[in-house]
Amino acid sequence: MAGPMWWAVVRERAAACWWQLLLVKLAFAAAGNVPASVVGRSGAASEAAAVLLFAAGAALSA
């Protein structure tokens, strides 16, 4: 056997839905970068940026 059975399952699932994983990763990257760039351009304090990013993360994980 090449490795643990769970690793074979992970590889099989990743091969079957790699494009879905990529879309989720890109969506989370965009959701994190857009608020940070908007707050950064507006000159807001870093505390405001932290609150905004926390709220965006809470909304996405709900």
Side-chain angles (χ1 to χ4, degrees):
M1 192 176 254
M5 188 62 164
W6 64 269
W7 187 242
V9 172
V10 169
R11 283 190 310 211
E12 178 183 333
R13 296 287 184 189
C17 60
W18 66 269
W19 61 273
Q20 293 170 336
L21 295 171
L22 178 63
L23 288 178
V24 168
K25 183 67 174 169
L26 291 174
F28 273 100
N33 288 331
V34 169
S37 66
V38 168
V39 170
R41 266 188 268 144
S42 67
S46 62
E47 292 85 11
V51 169
L52 182 62
L53 291 174
F54 176 77
L60 287 173
S61 65

